[in-house]
Amino acid sequence: QVQLVESGGGLVQTGDSLSLSCVASGGTFGYYAMGWFRQAPGKEREFVGAISRAGTVRRYGDSVQNRFTIARDNNKRTVSLQMNNLKPEDTATYYCAADVNTVAGAADRRPEAYDVWGQGTQVTVSS
C-alpha cells in the first residue's frame, strides 16, 4: 500500500517562491500518475497540477498556469511542486495524491480519480 508524505509548506510573502515535495513509500511509484490539489477553508478541493507516470504529460489548473511547475523523480519516488510568484489566494492546504489505476499518458484533473492522499502541508501567503 502506497503512502504519501508532503513537506515544504510554510509562511511566505506575496511574490515569493516555495517548493513542495511529496515522497512515496510502498507500492510501485513509477506506475502511478501523481497530482497536487489544494483546499482553502470553506472552499472545495481545487486541482493544482498533475503529471503522468513517465512525466511526459503535465496539466495545471487555470489559476496556477505559468506560475507553478510539477515534476517527478521516479528513482527517488518523489513528486514536487515549484510555486513561483505566490499570491494570497494561493493560501491553502496542499495535498499530494496518487492515481494508482492510471494508464500511460494520463494526468487526471479530477480528485475522484486519485486513490491515495497525503496528509497535506499548509501554505500561507501574506499580502
Side-chain angles (χ1 to χ4, degrees):
Q1 179 72 13
V2 60
Q3 293 183 319
L4 305 173
V5 178
E6 303 97 333
S7 62
L11 173 63
V12 296
Q13 296 184 335
T14 298
D16 284 353
S17 298
L18 199 61
S19 181
L20 305 183
S21 183
C22 172
V23 61
S25 60
T28 309
F29 182 74
Y31 285 3
Y32 311 147
M34 299 297 297
W36 284 98
F37 294 80
R38 66 187 183 186
Q39 189 164 20
K43 295 188 177 181
E44 292 186 354
R45 190 161 293 193
E46 179 186 7
F47 170 72
V48 175
I51 187 166
S52 62
R53 59 191 189 188
T56 53
V57 176
R58 307 181 192 197
R59 304 189 193 283
Y60 297 96
D62 291 343
S63 62
V64 306
Q65 185 78 43
N66 298 320
R67 296 191 298 125
F68 290 12
T69 301
I70 189 170
R72 67 186 297 159
D73 185 330
N74 286 348
N75 290 326
K76 296 182 179 179
R77 303 173 62 88
T78 59
V79 60
S80 62
L81 185 69
Q82 175 66 40
M83 305 184 293
N84 297 329
N85 190 23
L86 283 161
K87 304 175 181 181
E89 50 264 42
D90 294 319
T91 295
T93 300
Y94 284 70
Y95 298 91
C96 169
D99 177 1
V100 304
N101 295 306
T102 190
V103 297
D108 210 305
R109 297 172 177 268
R110 303 168 300 143
E112 58 266 31
Y114 293 81
D115 313 279
V116 181
W117 293 78
Q119 83 289 349
T121 186
Q122 178 67 36
V123 173
T124 303
V125 185
S126 64
S127 57

